[in-house]
Amino acid sequence: MIYFLFTTAQCNLTCMYCGGTPEDLCMPVKPTYHVSNLETFIAEDPEPYFVFYGGEPLMNLAYCMSVMDHFGD
């Protein structure tokens, strides 16, 4: 299954079409759970795939790396 993981609501761009800010989105700035909770959530999935999304996902590179380190082959 494909899991879309929210990484951050922050963004370093000012795209005209977006206009979204963390306040407008009613979302936390960063995930509020630990990667081990994610592991528990997907425990029954033999082949999980992750898609990182958010304002600019790589603005929370530490979270992306922790997911890849935790679930990588």
Side-chain angles (χ1 to χ4, degrees), residues 18-41:
C18 180
T21 64
E23 298 80 26
D24 293 339
L25 299 173
C26 299
M27 298 175 77
V29 174
K30 294 184 177 182
T32 57
Y33 59 88
H34 191 271
V35 174
S36 62
N37 296 102
L38 179 61
E39 182 176 28
T40 301
F41 179 75

Side-chain angles (χ1 to χ4, degrees), residues 2-72:
I2 299 172
Y3 298 90
F4 289 83
L5 302 179
F6 168 76
T7 63
T8 181
Q10 295 175 320
C11 184
N12 57 350
L13 302 174
T14 55
C15 302
M16 295 296 293
Y17 63 86
C18 180
T21 64
E23 298 80 26
D24 293 339
L25 299 173
C26 299
M27 298 175 77
V29 174
K30 294 184 177 182
T32 57
Y33 59 88
H34 191 271
V35 174
S36 62
N37 296 102
L38 179 61
E39 182 176 28
T40 301
F41 179 75
I42 65 165
E44 300 296 320
D45 190 339
E47 292 187 55
Y49 293 92
F50 300 107
V51 175
F52 298 112
Y53 84 100
E56 169 49 57
L58 295 180
M59 288 194 72
N60 191 0
L61 185 59
Y63 175 79
C64 296
M65 295 298 292
S66 67
V67 170
M68 291 188 294
D69 289 344
H70 197 81
F71 295 99

